[in-house]
């Protein structure tokens, strides 16, 4: 199992005795998601194939977000139990920048202390359009002095837009939390 994945990466699951030797050649289906969510909201692996007969399959991950995701595989109408002993996680969000140059959104430079200005946050691993943005905070020295409002993934995986709240400060750092994962600082 992969411990950390980006969408489209390959992962494999080792599942002994998933189906009997006479199980046929049905394509495997792998679903994965948080143990707390119903399977209807889980992701489905892409391009799944048996790589070792009756023992191992390999799939590409779907675009998504989250951590500690558990897996379940179906082959020929037979379902495995949910694999909880190993989990997978998508890579955490990364904040790269606070707006696109040369035009800046009103909240990114010399923002109004009354708040209510739109800021665009550039990064990676924000998830597909429609992904819920759990929390966006900003402050000094990594502290969550302020919590932005109205945050949405504006461009899949790479841009989030939020409104500032009332407050003042300089040299503020921005942090994004999506599916329980807080952003990390970009390094090169």
């Amino acid at each position: 199992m992969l411990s950390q994945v980006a969408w489209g990466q390959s992962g494999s699951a080792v599942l002994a005795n998933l189906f009997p030797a006479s199980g046929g050649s049905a394509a495997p289906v792998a679903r994965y998601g948080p143990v707390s969510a119903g399977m209807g909201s889980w992701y489905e692996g892409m391009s799944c194939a048996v790589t070792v007969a009756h023992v191992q399959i390999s799939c590409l991950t779907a675009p998504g977000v989250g951590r500690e995701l558990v897996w379940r595989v179906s082959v020929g109408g037979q379902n495995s139990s949910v694999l909880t002993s190993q989990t997978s996680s998508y890579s955490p969000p990364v904040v790269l920048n606070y707006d696109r140059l040369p035009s800046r959104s009103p909240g990114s430079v010399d923002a109004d202390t009354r708040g209510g200005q739109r800021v665009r946050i550039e990064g990676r691993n924000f998830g597909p359009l429609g992904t819920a943005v759990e929390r966006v905070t900003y402050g000094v020295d990594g502290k969550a002095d302020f919590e932005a409002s109205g945050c949405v993934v504006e461009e899949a995986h790479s841009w989030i837009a939020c409104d500032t709240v009332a407050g003042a400060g300089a040299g503020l750092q921005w942090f994004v939390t999506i599916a329980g994962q807080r952003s990390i600082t970009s390094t090169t």
Side-chain angles (χ1 to χ4, degrees), residues 10 17 23 38 43 70 105:
S10 178
N17 301 319
Y43 299 112
V70 296
S105 57

Side-chain angles (χ1 to χ4, degrees), residues 2 5-11 32 46 59-64 90:
L2 295 176
V5 297
W7 66 273
Q9 284 187 327
S10 178
Y32 58 100
M46 303 180 302
C59 301
L60 296 176
T61 55
Y90 283 93

Side-chain angles (χ1 to χ4, degrees), residues 1-181:
M1 286 304 226
L2 295 176
S3 60
Q4 195 171 75
V5 297
W7 66 273
Q9 284 187 327
S10 178
S12 63
V14 176
L15 300 159
N17 301 319
L18 177 61
F19 52 98
S22 61
S25 61
V29 176
R31 290 189 173 81
Y32 58 100
V35 72
S36 60
M39 285 188 68
S41 62
W42 283 18
Y43 299 112
E44 186 170 315
M46 303 180 302
S47 303
C48 294
V50 175
T51 52
V52 177
H54 312 293
V55 178
Q56 182 173 317
I57 68 166
S58 181
C59 301
L60 296 176
T61 55
V65 295
R67 63 187 175 102
E68 298 177 3
L69 307 175
V70 296
W71 291 76
R72 181 177 181 179
V73 175
S74 300
V75 179
Q78 296 183 27
N79 296 321
S80 72
S81 58
V82 175
L83 179 64
T84 57
S85 61
Q86 296 179 346
T87 62
S88 296
S89 296
Y90 283 93
S91 297
V94 177
V95 173
L96 299 174
N97 201 350
Y98 310 126
D99 214 310
R100 193 184 321 236
L101 296 172
S103 64
R104 294 188 178 268
S105 57
S108 64
V109 176
D110 298 326
D112 190 322
T113 58
R114 294 175 290 186
Q117 291 181 302
R118 203 71 169 160
V119 172
R120 294 185 76 223
I121 301 165
E122 180 183 15
R124 293 191 310 261
N125 307 323
F126 293 157
L129 290 176
T131 296
V133 179
E134 196 172 314
R135 187 172 189 217
V136 174
T137 59
Y138 53 104
V140 179
D141 296 325
K143 295 178 187 166
D145 297 323
F146 307 102
E147 185 168 344
S149 64
C151 299
V152 296
V153 174
E154 194 173 71
E155 286 182 37
H157 313 288
S158 59
W159 285 95
I160 290 176
C162 296
D163 294 323
T164 59
V165 295
L172 306 176
Q173 294 175 300
W174 291 75
F175 295 93
V176 172
T177 303
I178 295 176
Q181 291 182 298

